[in-house]
Amino acid sequence: MPLIPDFIAPTRHTDPADALAQVQRIYQQQIGHLRDAMQRFVAGETPTSAVRAFYPFVRVHTTTVARADSKLAYGFVEGPGRYETTLTRPDLFARYYAEQFRLLRASHNVELEVGTSAHPIPIHFSFAEHDHIEGTLTPERRMLMRDLFDLPDLAAMDDGIANGTWQARPGEAQPLSLFTAPRVDYSLHRLRHYTGTAPEWFQNFVLFTNYQFYIDEFVRLGHAEMARPDSEYVAFIEPGNVVTRRTGLAAEPGDELGTAPPRLPQMPGYHLVRKDASGISMVNIGVGPANAKTITDHIAVLRPHAWMMLGHCAGLRNTQQLGDYVLAHAYVREDHVLDEELPLWVPLPALSEIQLALEQAVADVTGCRGAELKAIMRTGTVASTDNRNWELLPGNEPQRRFSQSRAVALDMESATIAANGFRFRVPYGTLLCVSDKPLHGEIKLPGMANHFYRERVEQHLRIGMRAIDILRAEGTTRLHSRKLRSFAEVAFQ
């Protein structure tokens, strides 16, 4: 028999706060059991049998299709039945879980059942932020660990629910969330690896870029905000969890643990933090759709309110000038990294809330209106390719396809970010800046590029940040669009 914690029987709750407290109690009991056993194992003790612990779950039963009228795109189930999901990190997701529980109660007036699931917690997902346990074990003890503790099971963390391909087995409950607890834990660990920052620092609005110049400017603006005692932001976080608090604020426990890494991670993350987590996270995803898919696969579990791409692109029209903006309202997907998860015949709708915010932000930052605004910003189709040297293909075949699609700009990441936003129900948008025009003989040259970067990067970044200000002020409930809901959508946002 495996060594497991004392069983906590399921409980039913009408108060969302009580339900969340019970989730936290179960999770802490289960995680504490694993951590204690692992610490003894590292010290040289070998358990007499396998050690197991389990995720908490939340479950609701509905008996009618009737529900409270809601203008939201989430917070309710589609009809009668049993719905449940496993939960993890109730410390990190406390605000999110409490809101989802509240909405379920408001929509259906049903009890929230909380208990211990049958889904084991992999030992790797029990480690605390600064634990580095496996490195202290001999190869023999690492091999033995595989026999004594549960390891991540890929079958328990696929994206079938998000992809719309998941089907319940006889007697199995319908899902409440796009992601199971193991899937969430897996992504939380990957975020640490790829961005060099803890998931706790991520904010609800995310900017992606494909050039370090934007990050350099974001860092400069972040430190400038920290020097302002009246800034709406309270901290700025850099890779290695290096924390800079706003002037006048005292350091908090754990700040001293941050250390700048000897080299930047693959996709470094930076976070301009607000107390309510409605600040801005920015990630340099580098060049190419593979990185764009990878990072959005993982950030999606944090359930951000929106993510947007700010980067450079090739202008495909002769009337465009270097430094002009392109607001994407459609995408040509030649990135090939999501074809299995999201077939090419699935359209990616432009989301009006994001589009209007980006257009207003361009007007606010540049001071242009009417015809002047149209002269510097073009709205149209953006093509994303996985072939950086598409211009060298014989026969001009890519050029023909881009012309047929009416594309006005080309990059390697935007369609991927939009497609994963659609797939994971995260509102998305794209505002690019024309940095070259390969079809018209204007290619990047060192002198031109440096001048362009100096003139445009700060303005472009301020436009993205201004768009987030607009979206935040309008309220996030309006932002989450019903355009992203499938026929039988999960209840959790």
Side-chain angles (χ1 to χ4, degrees):
M1 292 287 292
L3 301 173
I4 61 175
D6 292 337
F7 179 67
I8 298 179
T11 54
R12 295 178 181 272
H13 306 267
T14 57
D15 184 346
D18 290 343
L20 176 59
Q22 184 67 0
V23 171
Q24 292 170 330
R25 177 189 173 203
I26 294 172
Y27 182 79
Q28 289 303 323
Q29 178 213 34
Q30 302 291 318
I31 286 293
H33 174 75
L34 280 181
R35 288 178 179 172
D36 180 65
M38 190 63 188
Q39 288 170 359
R40 294 198 306 271
F41 181 77
V42 171
E45 181 180 332
T46 300
T48 56
S49 60
V51 179
R52 306 196 86 181
F54 303 90
Y55 288 108
F57 73 80
V58 64
R59 177 187 296 147
V60 297
H61 296 263
T62 58
T63 59
T64 175
V65 297
R67 59 178 174 85
D69 184 33
S70 174
K71 304 303 181 184
L72 297 178
Y74 56 90
F76 54 88
V77 299
E78 288 297 324
R82 177 166 58 95
Y83 299 81
E84 67 181 59
T85 188
T86 49
L87 304 170
T88 188
R89 292 295 307 277
D91 56 329
L92 176 61
F93 292 104
R95 184 185 288 112
Y96 172 76
Y97 286 158
E99 178 64 5
Q100 307 314 305
F101 293 174
R102 184 191 70 79
L103 290 172
L104 282 171
R105 285 280 301 145
S107 295
H108 302 285
N109 195 31
V110 293
E111 292 181 316
L112 302 166
E113 183 180 352
V114 175
T116 307
S117 75
H119 296 279
I121 302 175
I123 186 62
H124 299 80
F125 298 162
S126 72
F127 298 166
E129 173 67 29
H130 297 284
D131 286 349
H132 303 283
I133 292 174
E134 282 190 87
T136 66
L137 297 174
T138 65
E140 293 76 19
R141 294 291 282 178
R142 285 201 299 270
M143 185 64 68
L144 180 59
M145 185 181 77
R146 300 167 63 91
D147 296 328
L148 295 173
F149 298 92
D150 287 295
L151 302 180
D153 178 10
L154 294 180
M157 57 181 75
D158 67 48
D159 283 331
I161 300 172
N163 293 344
T165 58
W166 181 89
Q167 291 186 327
R169 295 184 293 268
E172 188 175 11
Q174 296 292 319
L176 274 175
S177 174
L178 291 177
F179 304 109
T180 63
R183 170 67 168 84
V184 173
D185 273 338
Y186 176 75
S187 284
L188 296 182
H189 279 67
R190 292 288 82 197
L191 284 174
R192 292 188 187 95
H193 171 74
Y194 285 121
T195 71
T197 54
E200 288 83 350
W201 295 122
F202 272 83
Q203 301 296 288
N204 279 320
F205 294 93
V206 183
L207 296 175
F208 298 110
T209 187
N210 51 10
Y211 277 93
Q212 181 64 28
F213 299 95
Y214 286 82
I215 295 297
D216 294 341
E217 185 61 24
F218 191 64
V219 170
R220 189 189 70 78
L221 291 173
H223 284 288
E225 285 292 329
M226 294 305 97
R228 291 178 48 213
D230 61 342
S231 174
E232 63 187 313
Y233 301 101
V234 297
F236 183 65
I237 316 301
E238 300 174 69
N241 297 312
V242 176
V243 180
T244 302
R245 297 282 173 186
R246 189 182 68 198
T247 296
L249 297 180
E252 296 186 6
D255 286 2
E256 73 282 358
L257 299 176
T259 305
R263 63 189 62 84
L264 286 177
Q266 183 174 341
M267 290 178 274
Y270 302 78
H271 313 280
L272 201 47
V273 178
R274 285 170 56 113
K275 286 184 178 179
D276 61 357
S278 66
I280 304 171
S281 290
M282 190 166 194
V283 181
N284 180 4
I285 60 176
V287 177
N291 276 1
K293 177 185 183 298
T294 297
I295 201 63
T296 48
D297 280 349
H298 299 312
I299 291 178
V301 306
L302 299 174
R303 309 315 298 142
H305 291 315
W307 61 39
M308 293 181 285
M309 176 67 187
L310 301 181
H312 294 170
C313 67
L316 300 181
R317 302 303 179 97
N318 196 35
T319 53
Q320 291 170 305
Q321 303 296 320
L322 299 186
D324 283 357
Y325 294 112
V326 174
L327 176 59
H329 73 184
Y331 301 88
V332 176
R333 292 172 51 201
E334 293 200 0
D335 51 342
H336 303 301
V337 292
L338 279 166
D339 295 359
E340 294 182 12
E341 290 91 345
L342 193 69
L344 289 174
W345 49 262
V346 176
L348 304 179
L351 305 182
S352 60
E353 296 82 3
I354 302 281
Q355 300 296 99
L356 291 172
L358 283 169
E359 183 175 355
Q360 182 62 50
V362 175
D364 290 348
V365 173
T366 64
C368 295
R369 297 289 189 276
E372 287 185 335
L373 182 62
K374 289 185 177 182
I376 65 165
M377 185 187 74
R378 184 145 185 175
T379 301
T381 298
V382 170
S384 291
T385 177
D386 58 356
N387 185 349
R388 177 59 187 86
N389 295 315
W390 60 272
E391 309 101 308
L392 305 181
L393 292 175
N396 290 326
E397 185 58 35
Q399 181 177 336
R400 183 180 300 112
R401 292 197 304 274
F402 299 149
S403 176
Q404 290 171 332
S405 70
R406 311 301 192 264
V408 299
L410 178 100
D411 77 346
M412 300 184 71
E413 303 87 20
S414 295
T416 308
I417 289 169
N420 247 3
F422 181 89
R423 185 165 74 108
F424 292 130
R425 289 72 161 173
V426 176
Y428 51 87
T430 299
L431 183 72
L432 302 176
C433 191
V434 176
S435 61
D436 63 327
K437 296 170 58 182
L439 297 184
H440 306 97
E442 294 190 57
I443 62 175
K444 291 180 184 176
L445 298 174
M448 293 169 56
N450 291 336
H451 179 70
F452 167 78
Y453 297 143
R454 284 195 301 270
E455 283 199 338
R456 272 294 180 262
V457 167
E458 179 184 5
Q459 184 184 83
H460 195 183
L461 178 57
R462 288 190 178 277
I463 289 169
M465 296 174 70
R466 173 59 184 149
I468 289 174
D469 289 340
I470 294 170
L471 292 170
R472 188 192 298 121
E474 290 178 346
T476 56
T477 55
R478 179 174 175 268
L479 178 58
H480 293 279
S481 174
R482 297 190 183 193
K483 297 184 185 75
L484 303 183
R485 286 186 62 85
S486 60
F487 290 169
E489 193 61 44
V490 298
F492 279 22
Q493 174 253 314

